[in-house]
Amino acid sequence: MLMQEKRFLLMLTMVFVFIGFLWAGGAQETEAERTGIKDFYTITTATTGGSFYPTGVALAQLWSEQLGDKLGTRFSAQTSAGSPENVDILDKNEAEIAYMQNNVVLWAYRGTNMFEGKPHKNFRLILPMFSSTYHFMVDKNINSLSALRGKRFVVGRPGSGTETSSRLVLEALGISYDDIKAEFLGQSEGLEALRNGQVDGVLAVGGHPISAVSDIMATPTRRFKMLNVAEDELQKINKAEPWMIPTEIPADTYPNQTTPIRTLKHMVFLLVKEDMNPEVVYQIVKTTWENMDWLRESHGAFNRMSIDLADEDFFNFEVPVHEGAKRYYREIGKLKD
C-alpha cells in the first residue's frame, strides 16, 4: 500500500512538473506575442560580389552587439539575387529587413512592371542607404555603351536588380538582348570571366569601392578598363529612366584609376513591413545613425551614407516611412509633422 502511495505521489509530481513546463512555454509565447519582438531578425541583401551583403553583415553585427541584450534578439545577413528577389523574400516573411534599389521599391509598392497586379502596400522605408554606382567594366577596345552590340556582356543574374538595370540601360540606347550575347552571371563570376577574356563587358553595381572591382583593377596586365560613359549616352538613359542619375566615380577610388569616371547611380533603401515592431525599428534606426563612424570603418560604401539623405525627398517618397523610424527622425528634428 505504501509503495502504491509513493507511485501515485511520484506520478502526481510529474504531472504538475509537466503542467508547469506547458505553462512556462505558454507564458513565453504570450510574452513574445505581447512585445512582437522576435528572437532573430534576418536582413536580405544581394550577392557577395557587391556592397549590399558586406554592409548588411556590418549592420547585423552592429545591431546584435548594441541591441542584443536590450531587445533580447539577434540579427544576421543573408545573400540573395538582389532587389527583385528581396521583394518576394520580404513578402513571404523569409526575412524581416530588406535592401532594395529605388525603382524596385516603387514597382513593388505600386504593383507595376515585374510586379504587375501585385502591389505591396505594406512595405515601409526605414533608412536611406548609400547610392549604388554603375561600373561598366569592358574590353579596352570598347569606347561606348553602344559599342556593346554583338559583344558578350554580363548583365547579372536572372531577375536580379543588376540584370534589370542592364536591360533598361541597353533599352534606353536602343539595344535589346537580341543585339548582344547576354551572359547571366553574378558580379564576381562576371568580373573573373572578363579578367580571363571570356566576355567583353560586365555591369557591376554597388556602393564604391566594390571589392571585386578593386581586385580586378589591380591586375598588372589588363585587357579591360572602366568605361567613361559618354555624356550623350548618360542623358539618354536618364531621360528614359529618371531614377538612374548621372554621377562620377572619383579618381583613385580604384587601383590604376587615375581620372574620374562618368557613370550612373541609383538610391538604395532599407525596408521592413508595416507590422514590424516599432520599438525594434526605432532602435535599429537610432543605433545606425549614432554609429556611422564604426560603419564607415567597416566598409567604404558607408562613406556615402549620411543623415542628410533623410530629407524631404525621403519622407515624401511614395512608399511611406515606418512609424518606428519616424519616431527617431522626429526626435532629431529631421521630420516635422
Side-chain angles (χ1 to χ4, degrees):
M1 186 70 175
L2 184 60
M3 183 64 70
Q4 289 179 340
E5 289 179 356
K6 287 183 177 180
R7 287 177 180 173
F8 175 76
L9 289 173
L10 179 60
M11 291 178 63
L12 191 61
T13 301
M14 291 175 67
V15 168
F16 279 121
V17 169
F18 181 68
I19 292 173
F21 277 125
L22 289 178
W23 181 86
Q28 289 173 358
E29 184 177 358
T30 302
E31 179 68 10
E33 290 176 350
R34 185 184 69 79
T35 63
I37 298 177
K38 298 182 178 182
D39 292 333
F40 203 79
Y41 288 88
T42 300
I43 312 166
T44 181
T45 61
T47 62
T48 57
S51 56
F52 285 14
Y53 179 69
T55 56
V57 169
L59 287 173
Q61 180 183 343
L62 173 67
W63 297 344
S64 292
E65 290 177 354
Q66 297 285 328
L67 302 175
D69 293 337
K70 180 185 292 187
L71 298 177
T73 190
R74 290 293 184 272
F75 300 84
S76 72
Q78 69 178 30
T79 60
S80 76
S83 296
E85 185 182 23
N86 288 348
V87 171
D88 190 51
I89 290 172
L90 189 62
D91 182 59
K92 292 180 178 177
N93 297 316
E94 294 172 359
E96 293 76 27
I97 307 161
Y99 277 72
M100 287 185 208
Q101 62 190 57
N102 53 358
N103 63 309
V104 174
V105 174
L106 274 178
W107 294 342
Y109 186 76
R110 293 173 176 172
T112 58
N113 201 285
M114 63 181 68
F115 308 106
E116 187 68 41
K118 297 179 181 178
H120 295 74
K121 294 296 186 182
N122 60 345
F123 282 8
R124 295 292 183 268
L125 306 179
I126 63 169
L127 285 167
M129 301 293 286
F130 42 80
S131 57
S132 271
T133 311
Y134 292 29
H135 301 67
F136 294 98
M137 305 297 298
V138 297
D139 181 276
K140 64 181 181 181
N141 295 314
I142 294 176
N143 296 312
S144 70
L145 291 174
S146 298
L148 289 171
R149 284 186 173 86
K151 303 298 184 181
R152 300 163 298 176
F153 185 63
V154 177
V155 297
R157 288 184 178 174
S160 67
T162 298
E163 191 266 323
T164 300
S165 296
S166 293
R167 176 172 50 80
L168 294 175
V169 163
L170 294 171
E171 286 178 355
L173 300 175
I175 303 171
S176 73
Y177 280 179
D178 292 335
D179 300 318
I180 64 170
K181 298 173 184 176
E183 300 285 348
F184 296 89
L185 301 173
Q187 288 187 172
S188 296
E189 299 95 328
L191 290 167
E192 192 61 30
L194 180 65
R195 192 206 305 264
N196 296 332
Q198 297 168 311
V199 298
D200 303 301
V202 182
L203 173 57
V205 180
H208 57 264
I210 298 175
S211 59
V213 174
S214 294
D215 179 60
I216 192 174
M217 286 293 288
T219 304
T221 304
R222 296 183 308 283
R223 295 174 291 187
F224 49 84
K225 64 184 178 183
M226 189 179 296
L227 181 65
N228 201 24
V229 183
E231 287 283 1
D232 64 323
E233 291 186 328
L234 290 177
Q235 296 308 315
K236 285 181 182 178
I237 296 166
N238 177 249
K239 183 177 180 180
E241 305 293 341
W243 54 274
M244 292 184 182
I245 305 166
T247 189
E248 282 191 348
I249 299 174
D252 300 316
T253 298
Y254 292 100
N256 301 303
Q257 181 227 334
T258 57
T259 59
I261 297 294
R262 290 187 304 271
T263 187
L264 298 157
K265 68 178 180 180
H266 63 242
M267 278 304 300
V268 176
F269 297 116
L270 217 58
L271 283 85
V272 299
K273 292 172 80 170
E274 183 181 15
D275 61 359
M276 184 161 168
N277 181 278
E279 179 64 20
V280 176
V281 173
Y282 168 80
Q283 291 292 345
I284 62 179
V285 171
K286 176 182 171 69
T287 301
T288 300
W289 290 121
E290 292 182 354
N291 289 275
M292 287 307 300
D293 288 344
W294 185 90
L295 288 170
R296 286 167 184 148
E297 289 182 6
S298 72
H299 195 282
F302 285 114
N303 288 319
R304 294 186 319 286
M305 183 176 172
S306 163
I307 191 63
D308 292 336
L309 294 173
D311 56 12
E312 288 186 9
D313 290 338
F314 176 66
F315 295 116
N316 293 329
F317 196 67
E318 187 172 333
V319 181
V321 177
H322 192 280
E323 287 302 320
K326 283 183 178 180
R327 175 185 160 196
Y328 177 73
Y329 294 124
R330 287 190 187 102
E331 285 182 0
I332 63 171
K334 295 296 291 184
L335 177 61
K336 298 177 175 64
D337 292 330

